[in-house]
Amino acid sequence: MAELVGRPVITLLTDFGQRDPYVASMKGVMLSICPEARIIDISHEVPKFDVRAGALVLAQATPWFPPGTVHVGVVDPGVGTARRPIVVVSERYVFVGPDNGLLMLAAMRDGLRAVYAIEERGLMLKHVSRTFHGRDIFAPVAARIASGLEPSDVGPEVSDYIVPGFARPELRGDRLFGEVMYIDGFGNIITNLPEELLAEIGASEGSELVVRIGDRRLRLKLCSAYGDVEPGSALAILDSWGMLEIAINLGSAAEKLAVKPGEPVEVEIAEGGGP
């Protein structure tokens, strides 16, 4: 992992919202240990307990940060259970959070190198609550790594970490299989199918795609802009992060198609649908 030049950067993503003292508490812990850190909020409005949505938001935001950034993610419905706290090292970054799949999409896209279970008790706060590992474990560990601690010093390397299905879309023959990851504020349906996989089946701008979402079958053009179709019409497009998105020009695709995160997605080139 490349080292950050200058003041260390720590990012923070949670489902905590802004009304409670949780985010501020984590920042206070991190600044007490690493006062020179710059703490950047990715989002605190991830839907409550939605690991899938949190994973996507984290994966979309983190590549734009300088190498050496420490990324902290806390969407943790399993807090207080046997799920492990982990540190994940990728080619350019370190990720700190729960072993529930939240960190893996971002780390795997960057190039996964190693995963360590956080077991060194002295790196945590003196009292670790059952309900707030973000403050008591993840924040102090992230701050110590930002201050120069080697990630391997947090505990043993592990290989049985959780890699959720949404982090591994599949190519089978001439079809892609993935799922709906997220519905953005415009009602756009964001999938986990990247541009590289679409290229594997020969899809490019102008291609006609057959897209199956749940029990719905759509024939959509892969467009370069929302305005390529009439208002109210559906289209496929590569979003600004290179992921396949299903949208409706000047409308909400999620509402019109009654689609929710987690629904399976299948994509293939329509017969005679080359660009």
Side-chain angles (χ1 to χ4, degrees):
M1 184 192 73
E3 293 186 3
L4 187 70
V5 177
R7 291 171 58 194
V9 175
I10 303 172
T11 75
L12 186 55
L13 172 137
T14 76
D15 60 349
F16 295 165
Q18 296 284 4
R19 62 173 288 177
D20 298 312
Y22 306 133
V23 173
S25 299
M26 289 185 65
K27 290 181 177 180
V29 169
M30 291 189 284
L31 290 172
S32 295
I33 294 170
C34 185
E36 67 274 22
R38 290 176 289 176
I39 303 174
I40 307 296
D41 296 296
I42 292 178
S43 176
H44 300 296
E45 301 301 329
V46 173
K48 301 299 184 187
F49 317 120
D50 193 338
V51 173
R52 179 187 291 102
L56 180 72
V57 173
L58 188 67
Q60 306 298 47
T62 54
W64 307 102
F65 284 85
T69 298
V70 180
H71 298 292
V72 182
V74 190
V75 180
D76 194 15
V79 64
T81 68
R83 77 94 186 91
R84 293 177 299 197
I86 57 172
V87 168
V88 182
V89 180
S90 67
E91 289 295 329
R92 294 181 296 164
Y93 306 120
V94 174
F95 298 85
V96 182
D99 182 18
N100 63 3
L102 176 68
L103 311 177
M104 300 312 296
L105 184 63
M108 291 173 70
R109 287 188 186 176
D110 189 57
L112 181 64
R113 291 180 55 187
V115 179
Y116 302 95
I118 301 173
E119 294 185 1
E120 288 298 324
R121 191 64 183 79
L123 302 177
M124 309 173 195
L125 294 193
K126 185 175 181 180
H127 172 71
V128 175
S129 69
R130 293 184 179 274
T131 60
F132 199 0
H133 288 183
R135 179 195 63 196
D136 302 336
I137 299 177
F138 303 137
V141 167
R144 296 183 198 285
I145 291 172
S147 297
L149 178 77
E150 288 294 327
S152 57
D153 289 340
V154 304
E157 184 171 359
V158 295
S159 59
D160 59 341
Y161 46 83
I162 292 173
V163 180
F166 60 69
R168 290 178 169 170
E170 295 183 67
L171 168 63
R172 302 179 207 158
D174 58 358
R175 294 183 182 183
L176 302 179
F177 295 84
E179 62 184 78
V180 175
M181 287 289 290
Y182 188 71
I183 307 298
D184 72 10
F186 294 95
N188 298 319
I189 301 165
I190 301 172
T191 77
N192 64 338
L193 298 174
E195 182 176 6
E196 309 85 71
L197 273 184
L198 286 166
E200 289 283 331
I201 63 170
S204 60
E205 286 183 2
S207 295
E208 294 283 340
L209 306 177
V210 174
V211 179
R212 297 176 180 85
I213 303 180
D215 58 359
R216 293 161 293 281
R217 184 181 186 275
L218 310 168
R219 182 168 175 141
L220 302 173
K221 183 178 180 181
L222 185 57
C223 297
S224 59
Y226 299 108
D228 286 350
V229 300
E230 294 296 320
S233 296
L235 67 143
I237 194 169
L238 291 170
D239 69 11
S240 57
W241 294 283
M243 307 302 289
L244 181 68
E245 175 184 304
I246 310 304
I248 288 179
N249 185 20
L250 301 181
S252 169
E255 182 177 326
K256 184 172 182 178
L257 300 173
V259 168
K260 297 179 180 178
E263 292 198 54
V265 176
E266 182 181 332
V267 176
E268 63 182 315
I269 298 286
E271 186 176 349

